[in-house]
Amino acid sequence: MSQHLHICPILIHPKLPGVIFANFKPALNQFATYFSRNNGKTFEKMKYDSNNDGCVDNLCDAKLHLPCYIKPNVFCTKEWIITMAGENKNSELDRTQYFVTFNAGSIWKKVPFSKFAVKTMNGGGIIVGLNLHTNKVVYSFDEGKTYSRLSIYDDDEIIIEAAKIGIAENERLVIYGRDSNRSTLIITHYVLKYTDRTCVSTDYSPWSLVRSKGNCYQGKSIVYMKKNIDSMCMDNQTNTIKISTPCLCNLNDFHW
């Protein structure tokens, strides 16, 4: 892990109170990433879903590269979505694998083919990655159940960087590249969307992080409105709609 820059052993979730990610290395074992829902009082090992890695119940230990700081509007666009790099279990040559979670870290999914930091668009409804070897955009409209690929550059052109600009219906993916002679800069932008229809209230369902006492934490029960996976619409919300109600405090939610 020391070869990765700006990697820290602990990451505080930027949007969910009391949620902490940490990399621990028990004696004689490799490091693994752990997850706390109660501000560090207890931790559980995080898992990623895989049918091909030979893990028990298809759930493998996640080994993530925790950044020292995570940009909330880039890699954590919603309370339940995070994209992050981690260890590739099946390759000694290409050790970096990109992951995404849609339940705040309880279970992660691999983003296949991507060799570049993964981004989300349309309020998390679209996952986007880049394959530098094939010059293709990798994207999913259904939370990683299926992926499609789109060619963007010729074989003799090289991807340098990608950025997401704009919001809502003006959101774009901008890709920067160059030719093999380093003489020409190439800038391409893509609109990745499946409809022009704007989401309405029926396109959302309540979501909350399950803790020791349901979704109650430190006297508050917070429910977030998450776009349904099968709702083909443009999510124009700049901030997540959330409903907060008081609930009975639990001693385990506090340090004492």
Side-chain angles (χ1 to χ4, degrees):
M1 292 178 61
S2 59
Q3 61 182 319
H4 299 284
L5 298 178
H6 310 301
I7 300 299
C8 287
I10 293 176
L11 174 67
I12 307 298
H13 196 294
K15 296 186 177 183
L16 290 176
V19 175
I20 301 174
F21 306 113
N23 281 330
F24 297 143
K25 186 177 181 180
L28 303 179
N29 292 327
Q30 294 182 337
F31 88 91
T33 307
Y34 291 76
F35 177 46
S36 175
R37 309 166 197 247
N38 53 13
N39 210 27
K41 291 195 71 174
T42 59
F43 282 88
E44 59 192 273
K45 189 178 289 187
M46 288 202 301
K47 301 286 185 177
Y48 70 87
D49 190 1
S50 176
N51 295 325
N52 303 316
D53 290 351
C55 302
V56 177
D57 296 328
N58 294 327
L59 294 175
C60 304
D61 293 347
K63 300 177 180 180
L64 302 179
H65 302 155
L66 301 178
C68 296
Y69 171 75
I70 190 168
K71 296 179 180 179
N73 296 324
V74 178
F75 301 110
C76 184
T77 51
K78 296 290 185 179
E79 284 75 3
W80 52 87
I81 300 175
I82 306 174
T83 61
M84 205 175 297
E87 295 288 315
N88 188 347
K89 178 181 175 64
N90 289 330
S91 176
E92 292 296 328
L93 298 177
D94 189 2
R95 296 301 301 273
T96 300
Q97 169 73 52
Y98 290 95
F99 297 87
V100 61
T101 178
F102 292 95
N103 51 21
S106 298
I107 298 293
W108 295 74
K109 295 181 179 181
K110 284 183 175 182
V111 180
F113 318 116
S114 183
K115 303 300 178 184
F116 215 85
V118 174
K119 294 176 172 57
T120 60
M121 304 179 70
N122 190 29
I126 306 174
I127 312 169
V128 184
L130 295 175
N131 191 314
L132 304 185
H133 301 319
T134 62
N135 280 347
K136 290 184 178 181
V137 173
V138 184
Y139 61 94
S140 173
F141 291 147
D142 55 8
E143 295 190 356
K145 290 185 176 181
T146 58
Y147 282 89
S148 300
R149 284 174 280 184
L150 175 67
S151 296
I152 49 177
Y153 288 152
D154 295 332
D155 292 340
D156 60 344
E157 297 170 335
I158 299 170
I159 297 173
I160 300 174
E161 180 62 278
K164 182 178 66 173
I165 62 172
I167 58 174
E169 66 272 8
N170 296 319
E171 195 173 50
R172 303 287 188 273
L173 180 70
V174 179
I175 302 172
Y176 304 91
R178 62 171 174 81
D179 62 5
S180 57
N181 296 324
R182 299 177 180 266
S183 61
T184 303
L185 176 66
I186 306 169
I187 302 176
T188 308
H189 74 89
Y190 287 90
V191 180
L192 289 174
K193 64 179 182 179
Y194 32 66
T195 181
D196 291 322
R197 183 177 73 85
T198 301
C199 297
V200 296
S201 59
T202 54
D203 291 308
Y204 298 89
S205 297
W207 175 89
S208 59
L209 178 65
V210 178
R211 304 184 193 249
S212 60
K213 295 294 182 180
N215 62 357
C216 182
Y217 181 69
Q218 294 187 346
K220 289 183 180 180
S221 174
I222 302 179
V223 175
Y224 303 88
M225 299 308 295
K226 177 183 177 183
K227 188 174 78 68
N228 300 327
I229 188 174
D230 57 351
S231 288
M232 298 292 105
C233 58
M234 296 299 295
D235 187 355
N236 286 341
Q237 293 182 2
T238 54
N239 295 303
T240 306
I241 296 175
K242 60 182 180 181
I243 303 168
S244 178
T245 56
C247 57
L248 187 64
C249 289
N250 186 335
L251 191 60
N252 289 329
D253 292 340
F254 299 89
H255 288 284
W256 54 278

